[in-house]
Amino acid sequence: EARVHGDRVRLAVEDEGPGVDPALRESIFEPFTRLDEARDRDRGGVGLGLYLCRQICVGHGGTIEARGRADGARGARFEVELPLRQPVRTQPAAPR
């Protein structure tokens, strides 16, 4: 799902997996965090994916949050909000 809201765009992705416990929804964005359910399902990953997603969103002036599905069904919903345009630089970039 993608919607423009003023000068920002909101993106949402939902899945049908086990969801994320509301008490853990903020901690999953910390580096090296893997929930027990993820450890049981596979052997791959080190818990950096959502951390990197948040760093990229914040670096572009946005946010990312984990929620329950909008329809109340089992699963997770991730919502990203980003500015439609990057802020204009007031000073030229430093020479390389």
Side-chain angles (χ1 to χ4, degrees):
E1 178 181 314
R3 296 179 189 267
V4 174
H5 184 75
D7 63 347
R8 300 180 74 77
V9 63
R10 293 180 181 164
L11 309 168
V13 176
E14 291 184 340
D15 68 24
E16 297 174 348
V20 180
D21 182 329
L24 301 175
R25 288 183 183 160
E26 188 59 30
S27 68
I28 62 173
F29 294 102
E30 295 173 9
F32 307 111
T33 299
R34 294 189 70 207
L35 301 181
D36 289 338
E37 295 86 7
R39 287 189 203 114
D40 292 342
R41 280 196 307 266
D42 62 36
R43 297 177 195 265
V46 293
L48 289 175
L50 290 173
Y51 167 75
L52 292 173
C53 286
R54 176 163 277 176
Q55 297 305 305
I56 291 167
C57 288
V58 169
H60 288 280
T63 61
I64 183 171
E65 295 181 358
R67 302 178 182 274
R69 284 183 43 148
D71 61 6
R74 179 179 176 207
R77 178 180 177 95
F78 289 87
E79 295 181 356
V80 173
E81 186 173 291
L82 295 165
L84 285 172
R85 298 178 190 209
Q86 289 293 323
V88 177
R89 291 180 184 235
T90 57
Q91 297 178 357
R96 293 183 177 198

